[in-house]
Amino acid sequence: MGRGRAWLSLVAGVAVIALAWWLLNRPLESDTATSPVASGSASPSAQTSATPAPPGSVPANAIAAQAHWTIDGDTIDISIDGVVERMRLLNVNAPEKRSGARPAECLNFEASGVLIDLAPKGTSLRIVRHGKDRFGRTLGAAWLADGRMLGAEVIRQGYAAPLTVGGVATYRVEMESARAEAATAKRGLHAVTPACTVPARVAALKPQDPSAPTLLVELQSRAPHAGVAALTDAHRASLIATVKARG
């Protein structure tokens, strides 16, 4: 009888262990529902499908580099043979971060996030230098291994504007094409959400709105911030007309 009870105790113990293992390792129905992608919290670049680069789009004189650190949506530190230099992406203007008394511009954080997602530290790049800017930064362009151009991708996802400085418009065609795609899809700075974008602010105007004059100045500025500069001429003209009608 003693041996029988000992055998039953052993069997029961094994069953308890097996049940505990199953409870700890079974798949949970909530795993997928609470993942970042499933809950819609993926980064902007993850939500926008990549546009394949045309064959031969990387210039023959591009040299090898690695992404080292992202400064903001249009500036990145790169490493060439172990030497780090700061590069301002040519013909790209992303929203500015806060600096001293100057407030941060709409979607500046998201613009930086797009560049980080595209080229995290250690990413292989091909770059072309175009001299220095007045701050001593390298002016240049960078391409990913699949041929996509970094600056154009930030604009394509709606988080930057084309920019010509000092008459240098080397990549303006690529940037304009990327802007047209972002505008058509109403991404980022072209959208009516979040509330800080220019289209959202115009859409929120009421008749005789006291904020209309400020918006009109921004939209008609000859040196607009990135949120206005990102807009196509047609969209900008339409927003100006709306502001005037409600001001």
Side-chain angles (χ1 to χ4, degrees):
M1 181 65 72
R3 289 183 179 180
R5 289 180 178 176
W7 174 251
L8 289 174
S9 296
L10 177 61
V11 171
V14 171
V16 169
I17 292 172
L19 177 61
W21 182 93
W22 180 82
L23 289 172
L24 290 173
N25 292 276
R26 76 191 192 282
L28 299 177
E29 292 180 359
S30 60
D31 286 349
T32 301
T34 58
S35 68
V37 174
S39 62
S41 60
S43 64
S45 60
Q47 294 170 352
T48 304
S49 59
T51 301
S57 60
V58 181
N61 63 330
I63 63 175
Q66 285 186 322
H68 182 74
W69 197 257
T70 295
I71 307 304
D72 56 28
D74 55 34
T75 307
I76 185 172
D77 283 350
I78 58 172
S79 175
I80 301 175
D81 296 327
V83 178
V84 176
E85 62 183 80
R86 185 152 297 177
M87 186 169 74
R88 175 71 159 77
L89 297 175
L90 189 58
N91 299 141
V92 182
N93 181 24
E96 301 288 346
K97 298 190 295 185
R98 179 178 178 178
S99 178
R102 184 187 68 196
E105 293 180 7
C106 179
L107 298 184
N108 76 91
F109 181 79
E110 289 81 356
S112 298
V114 169
L115 198 51
I116 291 170
D117 285 349
L118 288 167
K121 186 173 183 179
T123 300
S124 295
L125 301 171
R126 302 290 293 180
I127 68 108
V128 173
R129 296 187 180 100
H130 290 272
K132 301 279 188 179
D133 68 5
R134 61 192 178 95
F135 301 107
R137 301 174 297 186
T138 295
L139 280 172
W143 289 262
L144 297 165
D146 62 7
R148 286 181 294 155
M149 191 179 193
L150 275 188
E153 287 303 307
V154 179
I155 293 176
R156 180 172 286 109
Q157 294 186 34
Y159 295 94
L163 177 69
T164 299
V165 178
V168 180
T170 310
Y171 305 106
R172 190 66 191 239
V173 171
E174 290 90 336
M175 304 311 171
E176 291 291 351
S177 175
R179 169 164 59 181
E181 185 177 326
T184 299
K186 293 182 171 56
R187 298 172 186 150
L189 294 167
H190 304 271
V192 292
T193 55
C196 66
T197 68
V198 174
R201 291 166 61 200
V202 172
L205 287 176
K206 299 179 176 63
Q208 306 302 312
D209 201 303
S211 64
T214 300
L215 260 174
L216 195 58
V217 169
E218 291 180 37
L219 284 163
Q220 294 180 324
S221 172
R222 293 186 178 182
H225 57 74
V228 172
L231 305 172
T232 63
D233 291 343
H235 193 185
R236 190 169 173 180
S238 173
L239 293 176
I240 289 173
T242 300
V243 173
K244 287 181 175 179
R246 297 181 185 176

